Structures are given as structure tokens and as C-alpha cells.
Amino acid sequence: MLRIILSILILALGGVLAVGGVELISLGGAWGYVALGALLVLSAVLMFARRKSGLAVYGVAVLFALVWGVLEVGLYWWGLAPRGGLLVLLGLVLLLPPIPRGLTHGTEGFRGYGAEGMVLVASIAVAAVVAVISMITQPYDTAGRLASDRVATPPATDADVADGEWASYGRTAAGQRYSPLAQITPENIADLEVAWQYNAGDVHVNLPGTALQTTPLIVDDTMYLCTPKSEVIALDPVTGEERWRFSPTLIELTPALSTYATCRGLTYHDGSDLGWEVSDEPAPTEQEAEALIRASMESATTQAAGVAQNIVAGTAQEGDPNPIILDQAPETPEPMRADCLRRIFLPTRDARLIAVSAETGTICPGFGGPDGTVNLWIGMPNVSPTAFYSTSPPTIAGDVLVVGGSVNDNLSDALPSGAVRAYDIRTGRLTWNFDPGNLDDTSPIEPGETFTQNVPNSWAPGSYDVERDLVFLPFGSGSPDQYGGDRSENVDRFTASIVALDGETGALEWVFRTVNHDIWDYDVPAQPTLVDLTVEGETVPALVQATKQGEIFVLNRETGEPVLPVSEIEVSQNAVPGERPAPTQPVSEISFAPPHVTGAQMWGLTPVDQMMCRIAFAGLNYEGRYTPPSLEGTLTHPGSFGVFNWGGVAVDPARQVAFAMPVYLGFTSTLYPRPDTLDSIVSAPGYPMGNENFGTPYAAVLRPFMSKLGLPCQQPPWGFVAGIDLTNGETVYQHVNGTVEDMAPIPLPLETGVPGIGGPIVTGGGVAFLSGQVDYYVRGYDLSNGEVLWKSRLPAGGQSTPATYLGRDGRQYVVVVAGGHGYVGTKLGDAVIAYRLPEE
């Protein structure tokens, strides 16, 4: 009976491979599946006939799969496993004594296996040897060690930030994500232990794009973090005890549109030494604080009433052209409450900016008005619930707060503006605005006027050069992402670019475009990092910018000119009618561009799902990294998550090196011709938040390139850590990073290298910390060589950037937020966990 069952299984497997192999050949793919399928079918037929030669043929099939696999992917375990793993497993079952004894036709030999059985034994033995060799071979690792002669260089510090504090999103205005603290070193990092855990109580399981992704601030012995509900929580950084919580009343958002909301960080400002007039008014009582919160919400709600664009139940109507109009904040500031000299600025999910006392957690009147609020819808066209708000903290640039915003793109070509605004940090009065559609005038927009609709927006954090008074902002694109045939030349100029603005006036100093005519959603996603580098013996004021497409550009931050070489490569022009792809794309000296994808790199758990991925790949358009989206479907690699996303890279200014987490996950991008109507859902019937792109010729559907089993169609590794010498652009080391423990059906900690979203930090102690990968660990690395020295299990995905600080007890802490991320498939959570070394 076992023989019959196995024969049926092998016959079915061979038949599927043979039939699928024919389809693959018809698409121009490999012929190996037909040959393998034929061998398996022949083996099954012979075993049905009780012939031992069926064992020999099966052994030949195993050897064929092995040789074919080695020729395609080399001695790489994860590439060979789907080709031979199932076959070897079935082969071992075939060698159980009842099977060869039940095959009565054939030679006699050792214990009834015969010469035919020995062929199968030999093939499995060879497979085992190859497996062992491939398991200890890691062809995708690059070993190396960062230069040690710069380690002793005194680290550059920001005079406004104490060494033991993490005062802004990237610790300082330079956005380096570097701390000079050095208590934790490669020698003692293995002793790190949990100091405390706090649960924020904000988990949105019904909103896949909403998660706790904040990087905490630690200033003046207080930790501050924000939640997806736009709350601010203040904690004791040594004990984790909650000191206060600010919970604004939010404008009610349309549930069908509220699929994404997050707060990645807050902005802290200390005005204690600025000579501001202080009133003797005491901090508000609890009732007075609640009244301020209600006033803040009601003023914004009142202004929004009657002008919101109606985009519900699959319809999109043109919005009222009248903008939200509020009186400007007063030019003459009023006296400030003493507890408001130190303030936290909170961007809310309903598009407001609220000033909160860093001491008491109550609203600070006088910023924007008596309710302590600036309404970010002021001057915006196409007002619509959830269509615009700030996911990232504002950037302090001297006396102003520079605010960008996230536009809910790909719904239509009539969306809010990507204009960047600067508000007086004392009063909230609009000081200047940078509108990519109106470059000639950065003076504050007049009441009743609106910014240019649908121009590129800056949703990631900005950076600030105090000495040069320059603000550096990363820009995305106007909507839609996957079609740009109707874009103006000026919009294209700022799409996927890095922009330098004068901090006092907002005037454009320079712009560097990282993608020419972006049609792949390759927004510049991360905060620019400012660092002085020694290049060819000269000190250069540099800007380091990680991008979704895998390039890390190093520019002179005074001029925008490349410090390390940038070249142009020719790219595919195979686009849909109406599109006009750029003929070339820029490539940096530091490039983590994925290798050209081939059918041989398709992956699966078995030969069958691997073959199905090869068939799917053969049916897609793919001519390299910049293949335009198509009607047939295009493989976009890297996909929308990018090689780097909002976590960016961490830069050690002493060593002049960067620590990075490049990840690789391809997407499919398919365009659908759409009628010129506002009530026809093309991309996602019944769900109005698909990439409908109303007003354009095409809707778009984006999907991760996955198999029917829910696994990536491209073989591992999917994620790395890397160390880069920024003075010459050399990637010194690159190591596979992360396991499939929390991705696979069976939670085995197999190190494949996994994707993720989140960012690293580095310290003066020569270690790096990272929690962004999709297995639930925070890891500590030796910065010099990338070796994992420590890890700790998290209760959910760690899709945030850690921080480190010095507690009042004199001990260095590392804090990680484990909030997960629905779009990358990690478990959602609300844990804030701090680690420290044990007391001596």
C-alpha cells in the first residue's frame, strides 16, 4: 500500500512539473522542469509495475535536480532547498525496507535493495554532501572590517544636545542617529538585560497600516513618545513609569478611509534661555486642560465643515474650491506660561500641530491661537478627511518649525499640496512656505489662497545645518506614483529629490533628483544625514541620503554636488501609451541596487511552487530595476518598500562610516485603463482606497511578488546589514540579517536574511542596534565588522528606530518600541522596552 501511495504522489508531482514545465518553455523559460517531471513520471510508472529500476530512475531525478540547481544558483542552501528538499525526503521514504522488497522485478543485492536501489542511495548521499557544503557556504556574505585608524577621532557633537540625551528624531538636527555614549561596548553588550517594559495601550488591529512606530525622545530626565492615536506619553526613563499622557480629541475620520495613521516622532524645543516673556499664570487645572483640548478640536472641525471632499463608497467628487481660512497667529507673542517654556510639538492624524507643555502635558496657548494649535489644512486645496497629515516630526530650523506632510496619494490627481511650511516657533505664525508649483514666492500665502495641488510632498523628517542655516528635505512625488505622463516639468524636477532651503526665507538653494521621472514610488523616504567627511585629504560638509532604489548619495550640502561619483545608466523605455520614461537614471558610488533578477532566482518550498513563481515571472515585464509599470504586469525590484525606507542609515561621525539595513522584496505593478469618471472602481472594486488615480488614464494594482503559499517568489536573502566607508564609498562588509522564525508556518530560527522597515542607531562604544527586521528581535552588532553580539526577543515586530540615553543613575540605556506593522505582516503591539547593563 505504501508503495502505491508513494507512486501516486511521485506520478502526480512529475505530471504537474511536466505540464507546468511545458507552459514555462512556451514563455521562454527553462526546460528543466519538463525533464525532471518526465523522470519522476517514469519512476512512478516503473514502481507501479514493481520494477526496482523505478528507484534508479528516481535517483537520477534527484541527481538531475541537484546538478541543475548547482548550475543555476551555486552552492547556496536556500537556493537548492526547493529544488531537492522534497525529492530527497520522498527518496528517503522510498528506501524504507518495505518499498524495495515490494519491487519484485530487478537485481538482487544488499538486503534486497539491488543495484537499482544503490543508485538512489548514492544520489541521496551526494545530495547530503552538497547540502552540508552549501549550509556552511554563504555566497552572499562579504566579510570585512572598518578602518580602525579613525576610531580614536573625537566624535562630532551638537552643542545643543547633551551626550546623554536623544533630543530629536535622529538625536540631533544632523539626523545621524549616533550617540557618543560608550558604556555599552562589543566586550560587554552580551550582558544587556531588560530594565523595564511599558505598554502604551494603543493597538489598531483593524487598520493594517497603523502601528506604534515612534522613536522616543529623552530630554531632561523624561522620555516622550507618541502613539497612532496622536497621544503624547511622558515616562520616567529609568523606571518606565508613566508621568503624564496627553490625549487630544481628534476630528472623526471616515472609517473607510482611515486605513493608515502613525506618529513616528515628536519635536522638543527648549525656550528657557531665549528671553521670552513669562506670565505668572499657573498650569491649567484638569478641567481647564480638557477645555483647551476641546477648543483645539472644535476650531479645526468648524473650519473643515462643508469643504471636505466627498470620497466615500467608491465615489470621488470635486472638493469645494474654498480653502480652510483661519486668522493668522498674532505677530506679537503673548506672555507664556512658565511650564510652556519647554514644549513638545505633536503632529496629529487629523492634520493639526499642537504645542504641549513638556513638563505637565497640557496644551500651551499662544501657539497658533488660544488653543495652542496650528491647523495644517490652512491653504490646502482639495480638503478631504485623511488625505493629508504629518507622520514625521517637524524640523526646528532656528526660530521656525518646518512642517511637511504625508499626502494619501494614488486616489486621484486632485489631492492636497505637498507645500512645506515654516511656522514661528513661538507663536505658530506662518513665516514662509515652499511650494514646488510656485517657486518665485516663499512669502506666507495670503488668506483665501491655496497652494498648488498635487505637487511633490516631503513626508519623512528633515535635517538642519545650524552653521549654514540650511534645511534639507526629502521629497516624494505627486499623485499618482505609477503614471507620470501628465506631470509638469517643474513637478518632475522635485519628484524623488533632496531639497535644500534657506532656513530664514524658505528660498531654494539647490535640488538633487535621485530618480528621473519617478514612476515606481521611489520617494526619498528617509531623513538626510549631515556629517563632515575627509575625502582625499580635505574636509567636506556632506549630506548622506539613502533611497528606496538602493542608492546612497553623498552630496556636498553647500552645493548639492556629488562628493562621491554619480553616473547615469540607460534604462528601459517600454512604457504604456502616454507615459514618457526618462532615458537614464542616476547611480551612486554607494549602491545597493539588487542584482538583475532571473528565473533561476525564483523560489519556493517545493519544486512546484518554485515553478509557479518562474511561470509568473516569465509572464511579467522585466528589463531591470527601472522597468516601467505595464498593462501586462511589471516586476518592480526593489518594490515600494524599497531597499531603504524611513529608517534610513546611521552614521558614525568619528569613524566616518554608515551602518545600514538594505532589504530586497520585489513587487508587481500592473496598470489598468480607466474610464474618465469618478464613480468607476478599477483597481479594487468595493474598496475605494485602491490606487484608482481618478483623473488619469490608468489605475494601478501593486502586490508583493509572492507565491501561492504566501512566500516571496524571489529566493533569499531578503535582508542584510552593511558597513560602509563614507570617505571612499566602499561597502566593507555585508551580512545576511534575520531569520524566518516569525514568517514561516513552523517557527524555526533559520537565518535567511529577512526584509523589514525601521532604522539602526550607532554609538561611540562601537556598537549598532537594530530592530526593524520582520523577526521579533532587537539585535546589537559590532560596528567594526557587523557581527551580531546580542539579541533579545520582542513581543511584537520592532518596526521603529531605537534610541539610547544616559539615565540619572549614570547608566546607559537602549530603548526599543515593538509596535509591529500590518503592511509587512508583523504582529502589532504596544510595548516600549528599555535595556541596560547589570550593576557591577
Side-chain angles (χ1 to χ4, degrees):
M1 179 60 70
L2 181 58
R3 173 185 59 84
I4 294 175
I5 293 174
L6 284 174
S7 298
I8 292 173
L9 287 175
I10 294 169
L11 179 64
L13 177 61
V16 170
L17 292 176
V19 172
V22 170
E23 181 180 358
L24 183 59
I25 291 173
S26 70
L27 294 171
W31 54 268
Y33 291 105
V34 171
L36 180 59
L39 287 170
L40 293 176
V41 168
L42 176 59
S43 171
V45 169
L46 291 172
M47 285 189 287
F48 268 122
R50 296 181 177 271
R51 296 184 176 277
K52 288 183 180 177
S53 55
L55 298 178
V57 174
Y58 192 90
V60 172
V62 171
L63 288 174
F64 174 80
L66 182 64
V67 172
W68 182 32
V70 170
L71 289 174
E72 285 198 320
V73 300
L75 291 172
Y76 176 50
W77 163 252
W78 290 108
L80 295 175
R83 292 164 165 85
L86 178 61
L87 296 180
V88 169
L89 180 62
L90 289 174
L92 290 172
V93 178
L94 286 175
L95 290 177
L96 294 175
I99 303 300
R101 290 172 186 171
L103 302 175
T104 56
H105 301 285
T107 63
E108 297 296 328
F110 179 74
R111 297 184 181 274
Y113 283 87
E116 299 89 344
M118 290 298 101
V119 172
L120 178 54
V121 170
S123 68
I124 291 178
V126 172
V129 171
V130 172
V132 170
I133 295 173
S134 64
M135 284 180 180
I136 61 176
T137 303
Q138 182 47 271
Y140 294 97
D141 256 27
T142 301
R145 193 172 190 88
L146 293 169
S148 60
D149 56 350
R150 295 196 298 263
V151 173
T153 304
T157 59
D158 189 321
D160 294 331
V161 178
D163 286 356
E165 295 187 337
W166 196 279
S168 62
Y169 180 79
R171 199 186 83 85
T172 70
Q176 294 170 348
R177 285 164 288 281
Y178 165 83
S179 168
L181 296 180
Q183 285 186 13
I184 302 171
T185 68
E187 290 72 33
N188 63 22
I189 190 174
D191 297 328
L192 277 179
E193 58 187 19
V194 174
W196 53 260
Q197 177 172 328
Y198 171 84
N199 292 90
D202 188 1
V203 180
H204 295 255
V205 295
N206 59 328
L207 301 177
T210 300
L212 191 66
Q213 298 172 359
T214 182
T215 295
L217 305 183
I218 303 92
V219 187
D220 196 26
D221 193 35
T222 304
M223 178 180 293
Y224 305 96
L225 57 112
C226 57
T227 76
K229 290 191 299 188
S230 301
E231 294 181 312
V232 181
I233 301 172
L235 303 177
D236 183 317
V238 172
T239 67
E241 294 179 0
E242 182 178 312
R243 288 180 172 166
W244 54 256
R245 179 186 292 245
F246 171 75
S247 301
T249 301
L250 300 177
I251 299 172
E252 184 176 352
L253 304 179
T254 307
L257 302 179
S258 305
T259 60
Y260 190 91
T262 192
C263 177
R264 297 197 180 109
L266 300 162
T267 301
Y268 171 86
H269 181 258
D270 187 350
S272 302
D273 298 328
L274 298 181
W276 291 345
E277 185 179 358
V278 180
S279 73
D280 55 4
E281 179 185 359
T285 65
E286 184 175 343
Q287 292 76 17
E288 291 170 336
E290 290 179 357
L292 284 171
I293 292 174
R294 286 196 302 272
S296 172
M297 186 273 293
E298 289 169 0
S299 66
T301 304
T302 300
Q303 297 300 323
V307 298
Q309 192 175 14
N310 179 27
I311 309 178
V312 293
T315 63
Q317 301 172 1
E318 292 186 5
D320 190 313
N322 297 319
I324 295 176
I325 302 173
L326 291 178
D327 293 334
Q328 288 276 4
E331 291 188 31
T332 304
E334 300 175 357
M336 181 176 287
R337 281 196 337 248
D339 67 303
C340 285
L341 290 176
R342 296 191 305 111
R343 291 177 295 171
I344 296 292
F345 293 97
L346 166 71
T348 67
R349 61 185 287 183
D350 55 1
R352 289 177 287 157
L353 184 61
I354 303 178
V356 178
S357 165
E359 296 180 12
T360 63
T362 55
I363 282 179
C364 291
F367 180 76
D371 56 4
T373 300
V374 167
N375 188 336
L376 298 178
W377 277 113
I378 298 173
M380 278 288 172
N382 304 317
V383 179
S384 171
T386 76
F388 169 86
Y389 77 106
S390 259
T391 59
S392 298
T395 301
I396 296 178
D399 296 328
V400 297
L401 279 171
V402 181
V403 182
S406 175
V407 175
N408 195 0
D409 49 10
N410 299 317
L411 184 60
S412 77
D413 63 351
L415 292 177
S417 177
V420 173
R421 289 161 286 181
Y423 298 95
D424 183 283
I425 202 165
R426 171 68 180 84
T427 66
R429 184 176 181 83
L430 186 63
T431 300
W432 55 257
N433 34 246
F434 175 77
D435 182 347
N438 182 22
L439 297 178
D440 296 331
D441 187 6
T442 62
S443 60
I445 193 171
E446 294 293 332
E449 294 183 351
T450 59
F451 299 111
T452 308
Q453 71 171 10
N454 214 41
V455 292
N457 61 305
S458 180
W459 56 265
S463 301
Y464 179 59
D465 185 327
V466 179
E467 179 183 350
R468 295 167 179 82
D469 192 25
L470 291 177
V471 183
F472 302 96
L473 299 168
F475 271 77
S477 68
S479 182
D481 288 325
Q482 280 73 40
Y483 178 76
D486 300 328
R487 290 183 197 151
S488 68
E489 181 178 346
N490 209 37
V491 167
D492 253 349
R493 181 186 179 192
F494 291 97
T495 292
S497 66
I498 308 154
V499 174
L501 304 178
D502 182 283
E504 183 177 356
T505 66
L508 177 65
E509 296 293 327
W510 55 259
V511 56
F512 179 88
R513 193 166 58 197
T514 69
V515 182
N516 298 326
H517 191 70
D518 177 27
I519 48 178
W520 301 274
D521 192 18
Y522 287 162
D523 299 348
V524 181
Q527 181 181 30
T529 297
L530 314 183
V531 61
D532 291 342
L533 299 176
T534 304
V535 179
E536 296 181 352
E538 295 186 4
T539 300
V540 179
L543 178 151
V544 179
Q545 183 66 66
T547 64
K548 282 188 178 182
Q549 66 271 23
E551 306 303 311
I552 297 180
F553 295 98
V554 181
L555 310 176
N556 185 313
R557 62 179 183 266
E558 291 182 337
T559 65
E561 295 297 318
V563 173
L564 298 180
V566 174
S567 58
E568 294 279 333
I569 60 169
E570 295 183 356
V571 296
S572 170
Q573 301 295 289
N574 183 19
V576 294
E579 188 54 272
R580 43 186 178 81
T584 64
Q585 294 293 344
V587 174
S588 173
E589 180 80 2
I590 306 174
S591 180
F592 289 89
H596 190 86
V597 181
T598 67
Q601 296 167 352
M602 296 300 103
W603 194 70
L605 290 181
T606 71
V608 174
D609 54 309
Q610 182 194 43
M611 178 185 68
M612 298 305 294
C613 281
R614 291 183 84 144
I615 291 172
F617 173 71
L620 294 170
N621 281 2
Y622 179 72
E623 300 173 73
R625 182 166 40 149
Y626 294 102
T627 307
S630 63
L631 301 176
E632 301 81 11
T634 290
L635 174 64
T636 301
H637 187 46
S640 297
F641 283 165
V643 176
F644 302 105
N645 206 287
W646 47 263
V649 300
V651 171
D652 183 329
R655 296 170 173 83
Q656 301 187 40
V657 300
F659 184 83
M661 181 186 73
V663 301
Y664 299 95
L665 187 64
F667 272 56
T668 60
S669 177
T670 307
L671 299 181
Y672 291 85
R674 61 161 301 106
D676 188 19
T677 63
L678 297 176
D679 58 358
S680 177
I681 302 299
V682 176
S683 70
Y687 185 56
M689 284 303 292
N691 290 7
E692 280 304 314
N693 303 336
F694 293 113
T696 73
Y698 303 97
V701 173
L702 304 181
R703 297 285 185 270
F705 187 31
M706 310 288 274
S707 72
K708 299 296 183 183
L709 298 180
L711 296 173
C713 268
Q714 293 161 257
Q715 73 179 24
W718 303 302
F720 298 86
V721 293
I724 306 141
D725 187 330
L726 294 174
T727 67
N728 57 23
E730 179 187 1
T731 298
V732 176
Y733 62 77
Q734 181 166 304
H735 302 305
V736 171
N737 182 55
T739 72
V740 292
E741 179 173 351
D742 297 299
M743 295 175 62
I746 302 174
L748 298 175
L750 303 174
E751 190 171 27
T752 60
V754 293
I757 287 184
I761 65 172
V762 294
T763 75
V767 295
F769 292 96
L770 175 64
S771 65
Q773 54 278 322
V774 297
D775 60 352
Y776 306 160
Y777 288 96
V778 54
R779 292 177 171 88
Y781 305 81
D782 186 330
L783 179 58
S784 65
N785 59 22
E787 178 185 352
V788 177
L789 302 175
W790 167 85
K791 67 178 181 179
S792 180
R793 185 74 171 156
L794 299 174
Q799 276 64 65
S800 63
T801 299
T804 187
Y805 59 95
L806 192 68
R808 63 180 178 276
D809 55 1
R811 299 161 72 183
Q812 182 180 355
Y813 290 73
V814 176
V815 62
V816 175
V817 173
H821 197 302
Y823 285 157
V824 297
T826 54
K827 177 183 176 182
L828 299 183
D830 65 345
V832 182
I833 306 172
Y835 302 86
R836 68 187 173 201
L837 295 171
E839 287 188 286
E840 296 181 357

